[in-house]
Amino acid sequence: MFDRCVTQIGKAYKPGENITIDEGICPFRGRLSFRVCMKNKPNKYGVKYFMLCESGYVLNCEIYSGKQSNADNNILHIVDRLCHSFHNKGLTLYMDRFYTSPDLLDYLWEKRTKAVGTVQKNRKGLLRDLIGQKWKINELSFCRRDHLLFVKWKENRDIFL
């Protein structure tokens, strides 16, 4: 039933040029083999799901069924499964630091999908030229590798894009 709802939503709504990907949790305290605990969410226990959205509309959704499932839960594979019908359409995907990595951005570039996101400074494959440097507030610096642009901005703390 869940898969049918997701399929019908995808057929009924055509997104604009900007889409976003994020995870959420559906509160659930019963017994379930893939129930998770996410300490930074208001409802800590429940069923985790990944969503592809635009303007409040869910375009695609996938339930996280745990490590014991047959699905490959690598971030690249999760994003690919959620965005497969939106590749090669010139859309821009916005994501948070959980998803953003140079490998994923390279993969999306091959699929003609642009991507923007904050990134953890210790993520594998990052351009290390700017990470260790100290900046004053509101200073901005960037470096580039092929189609990737890495930006470091200092507000109250360092922000990496």
Side-chain angles (χ1 to χ4, degrees):
M1 178 138 170
F2 177 79
D3 291 338
R4 182 161 168 84
C5 288
V6 170
T7 304
Q8 293 302 319
I9 290 170
K11 289 178 183 176
Y13 183 76
K14 301 299 177 211
E17 116 180 19
N18 300 315
I19 56 178
T20 185
I21 189 167
D22 204 3
E23 71 276 351
I25 192 163
C26 181
F28 183 76
R29 289 232 176 222
R31 292 179 184 224
L32 196 59
S33 64
F34 52 89
R35 187 185 74 166
V36 297
C37 176
M38 297 176 71
K39 294 179 182 174
N40 59 344
K41 300 289 184 185
N43 296 306
K44 294 176 183 16
Y45 297 96
V47 178
K48 182 177 180 179
Y49 54 93
F50 301 102
M51 303 174 290
L52 184 70
C53 303
E54 191 242 357
S55 306
Y57 292 97
V58 176
L59 303 172
N60 200 352
C61 189
E62 179 179 300
I63 295 175
Y64 174 70
S65 54
K67 291 181 180 178
Q68 68 273 13
S69 70
N70 293 336
D72 190 353
N73 291 321
N74 181 332
I75 294 299
L76 189 133
H77 292 107
I78 291 170
V79 172
D80 189 43
R81 286 193 302 266
L82 289 174
C83 297
H84 71 277
S85 60
F86 300 103
H87 289 317
N88 298 316
K89 296 189 178 175
L91 300 178
T92 303
L93 178 65
Y94 292 88
M95 55 192 127
D96 62 14
R97 64 192 185 124
F98 178 75
Y99 298 95
T100 309
S101 73
D103 293 338
L104 176 62
L105 297 175
D106 289 337
Y107 176 77
L108 291 172
W109 182 258
E110 292 172 6
K111 299 291 184 176
R112 290 188 44 218
T113 302
K114 295 174 272 186
V116 177
T118 57
V119 65
Q120 295 174 347
K121 69 179 181 180
N122 60 352
R123 185 68 80 165
K124 180 182 170 187
L126 276 186
L127 305 172
R128 301 277 175 209
D129 297 343
L130 301 175
I131 291 177
Q133 299 176 2
K134 301 289 183 190
W135 298 109
K136 295 178 183 169
I137 291 182
N138 290 329
E139 280 191 324
L140 174 83
S141 185
F142 62 92
C143 62
R144 185 179 190 121
R145 179 188 59 125
D146 299 328
H147 57 274
L148 293 179
L149 178 67
F150 178 69
V151 179
K152 179 182 177 182
W153 175 44
K154 173 80 171 188
E155 196 172 66
N156 295 331
R157 59 185 174 92
D158 291 338
I159 299 171
F160 301 96
L161 299 166

